[in-house]
Amino acid sequence: MYDYTQLQEALIDGDEDLLLEETDELLNQGAGPVELIAEGMMPAMEEVGNRFSRHEMYVPEVLMCANAMNRAVDRLRPLMEGISVESRGKVAIGTVKGDLHDIGKNLVTMFMEVSDFEVLDLGVDVAPDRFIGAVRQEGAQVIAMSALLTTTVPVMEEMIRVLEAEGLRDQVKVIVGGAPITQEYADGIGADGYARDAAGAVRITSELLSRA
């Protein structure tokens, strides 16, 4: 059993240099790359998500942590060739049609990726047919929709109705989020989940897929 305390503190602090040093030190001690990510870095990123949810950390700090982890994972990637890392599920994410805001979407994408979900980032201004394509052609198990403009929020309900019309509603989970969105709205349009922030999106996606 390896001591990941200093590695985790470095990641939570967003200290990239120290994180890389700790990564190398643990490798020298015999820790495996997958173990380093799963047992060392992921609990630290979960704590980052929890602090973000409690407003104890803010977007710039979260981005520093994510960038630090990405650098550490890049260092480990050559050591992981040939090692199978099982995806926890495939998520198609996008900001809905008519809305060009992407900061919230990008944060969710980042948290999903470091949590071992396979993410299909469809970008912004995403029409329902592109989400449908992600389900039919890419096998997306979850559709994650974001909206910041109140004028684009109705596209979320439209998306769910299209899924029903296409006979796909039972094959995919739908989660929604964004500043104008509430739990009540999500319930009203028949979404499977609502997330207030990126950490919440990972949490609800994990719960939904575990029940699937």
Side-chain angles (χ1 to χ4, degrees), residues 23-55:
T23 298
D24 289 342
E25 175 60 28
L26 285 160
L27 286 172
N28 290 334
Q29 292 176 23
V34 174
E35 182 183 12
L36 269 168
I37 294 171
E39 298 181 19
M41 297 181 198
M42 286 308 304
M45 280 306 294
E46 183 175 347
E47 176 59 21
V48 169
N50 291 336
R51 293 186 187 188
F52 181 66
S53 296
R54 298 193 299 263
H55 304 291

Side-chain angles (χ1 to χ4, degrees), residues 1-197:
M1 182 64 182
Y2 301 95
D3 184 356
Y4 297 109
T5 303
Q6 289 181 290
L7 178 138
Q8 291 171 343
E9 289 176 354
L11 181 48
I12 292 170
D13 290 340
D15 189 332
E16 182 178 305
D17 291 338
L18 182 55
L19 178 62
L20 293 174
E21 289 178 14
E22 292 299 323
T23 298
D24 289 342
E25 175 60 28
L26 285 160
L27 286 172
N28 290 334
Q29 292 176 23
V34 174
E35 182 183 12
L36 269 168
I37 294 171
E39 298 181 19
M41 297 181 198
M42 286 308 304
M45 280 306 294
E46 183 175 347
E47 176 59 21
V48 169
N50 291 336
R51 293 186 187 188
F52 181 66
S53 296
R54 298 193 299 263
H55 304 291
E56 295 172 6
M57 292 181 75
Y58 299 95
V59 171
E61 296 165 297
V62 172
L63 291 175
M64 283 179 60
C65 297
N67 289 335
M69 179 168 174
N70 286 336
R71 282 288 309 280
V73 170
D74 284 344
R75 179 161 295 185
L76 295 171
R77 191 165 282 122
L79 305 176
M80 297 170 63
E81 292 181 5
I83 299 175
S84 176
V85 179
E86 185 176 354
S87 167
R88 295 174 64 191
K90 187 176 287 189
V91 180
I93 187 170
T95 305
V96 298
K97 184 173 178 59
D99 201 322
L100 302 178
H101 295 87
D102 67 355
I103 292 178
K105 173 192 69 66
N106 291 345
L107 275 174
V108 174
T109 297
M110 175 191 71
F111 269 76
M112 290 281 190
E113 288 176 340
V114 301
S115 300
D116 291 332
F117 289 101
E118 184 178 351
V119 181
L120 306 170
D121 188 347
L122 304 181
V124 300
D125 194 25
V126 181
D129 65 310
R130 291 179 60 203
F131 283 113
I132 293 293
V135 176
R136 286 195 186 281
Q137 296 152 27
E138 304 290 341
Q141 299 161 276
V142 176
I143 287 175
M145 292 184 285
S146 172
L148 189 66
L149 302 175
T150 55
T151 53
T152 62
V153 168
V155 178
M156 293 181 169
E157 182 173 10
E158 178 189 349
M159 178 69 246
I160 291 175
R161 303 300 163 246
V162 172
L163 283 171
E164 292 170 348
E166 295 286 331
L168 296 172
R169 185 65 186 93
D170 293 338
Q171 298 178 32
V172 64
K173 302 297 184 182
V174 178
I175 66 171
V176 296
I181 311 302
T182 63
Q183 182 68 62
E184 290 72 22
Y185 178 77
D187 293 341
I189 65 173
D192 296 295
Y194 157 75
R196 186 173 61 85
D197 53 39

